[in-house]
Amino acid sequence: MTKIDEETQWESRYKSGNTGWDRGASSPSLITQLDNKNLTPCSILIPGCGRGYEVALLAERGFNVTAIDIAPSAIKEVKGLLAQQGLIASIIKANFLEWVTEKPFDAIYEQTSICALPPENWEAYEKKLRSWLKPEGMLFANFLQTDQPGGPPFHCDIGVMKKLFSSANWEWSQKPPMRIEHPSGKHELVTILKHKTT
Ligand SMILES: C[S@@+](CC[C@H](N)C(=O)[O-])C[C@H]1O[C@@H](n2cnc3c(N)ncnc32)[C@H](O)[C@@H]1O
């Protein structure tokens, strides 16, 4: 799929209201990480931020937030949400397979963005996540479980994720993944991964 196709595809979902992933509020996954103090104020990136409820919550809690999305409507909506609440974050319209940063982040909050990509792009995306994250930085991952072929959204089988986010580069949380219901009727498996120092 070309760059313009991807933008058009996601933008048309926003324009037609075909956004079945949208909770209309912050995910309980992020609220749990904040309540448990697994996530405390730091520089944090949200790739594929959608309408940005998590961007607003983190900005409100004192995080230095950068968020990217390919869909112009999503960018407009998250900027509007921040303005409405008098909050500040850096919002960037970009394709995350191309976006680079000179200043890696302490943490990344990834909520059902990898499932938006076809599996042939997953290796490139995992490399991007490493390039955006400081050594010892934390990835808060929310892997969508569709248990179905095809997509998007594509099924992020945990065995496949363990191979992709391999122990050469990532340390997986010892705790079993937490289950979070998804508005589509499916569910996410949530885990924390540490970017190993190479
Ligand atoms: C399934 S939605 C999840 C949105 C948000 N994280 C949430 O949970 O509400 C995937 C998001 O990724 C964005 N997206 C898809 N492909 C992208 C790409 N290549 N670069 C940047 N954003 C992308 C879409 O526009 C969409 O907002």
Side-chain angles (χ1 to χ4, degrees):
M1 196 183 294
T2 63
K3 191 172 73 171
I4 189 70
D5 281 345
E6 263 176 85
E7 180 176 327
T8 306
Q9 182 207 6
W10 288 98
E11 179 62 7
S12 72
R13 285 179 174 241
Y14 282 96
K15 289 265 194 244
S16 63
N18 181 14
T19 54
W21 62 81
D22 191 290
R23 288 182 168 86
S26 239
S27 170
S29 169
L30 177 58
I31 294 166
T32 303
Q33 304 296 2
L34 291 168
D35 287 352
N36 291 348
K37 306 227 174 336
N38 290 330
L39 196 47
T40 53
C42 65
S43 68
I44 189 163
L45 175 69
I46 307 188
C49 61
R51 292 194 171 95
Y53 313 107
E54 291 77 18
V55 178
L57 178 60
L58 288 169
E60 194 244 319
R61 299 282 185 102
F63 287 74
N64 182 1
V65 190
T66 299
I68 62 182
D69 205 285
I70 203 167
S73 288
I75 294 294
K76 194 172 162 205
E77 291 200 39
V78 65
K79 283 185 175 171
L81 183 67
L82 291 168
Q84 207 178 43
Q85 299 186 22
L87 297 168
I88 292 176
S90 174
I91 309 299
I92 301 166
K93 185 199 158 293
N95 182 333
F96 47 49
L97 291 176
E98 294 169 359
W99 187 72
V100 289
T101 183
E102 282 170 13
K103 241 186 135 192
F105 296 85
D106 297 319
I108 296 178
Y109 184 75
E110 139 70 61
Q111 183 173 292
T112 63
S113 291
I114 188 168
C115 70
L117 293 172
E120 60 266 28
N121 288 339
W122 286 359
E123 269 185 37
Y125 182 67
E126 183 270 342
K127 277 201 189 105
K128 276 288 178 195
L129 289 168
R130 276 191 276 135
S131 75
W132 298 329
L133 200 52
K134 288 179 186 170
E136 309 286 309
M138 306 303 284
L139 171 65
F140 293 82
N142 297 266
F143 295 129
L144 188 67
Q145 307 298 296
T146 71
D147 293 308
Q148 281 171 0
F154 293 92
H155 178 58
C156 296
D157 174 79
I158 285 296
V160 173
M161 294 300 105
K162 283 205 163 146
K163 272 195 196 139
L164 183 67
F165 294 86
S166 78
S167 58
N169 298 309
W170 300 94
E171 191 180 309
W172 282 63
S173 164
Q174 292 304 304
K175 293 189 184 150
M178 171 174 71
R179 180 186 166 120
I180 295 280
E181 299 312 312
H182 190 260
S184 63
K186 309 191 188 306
H187 68 278
E188 292 158 62
L189 289 176
V190 180
T191 191
I192 306 175
L193 292 86
K194 188 198 273 186
H195 182 206
K196 282 186 176 172
T197 315
T198 45

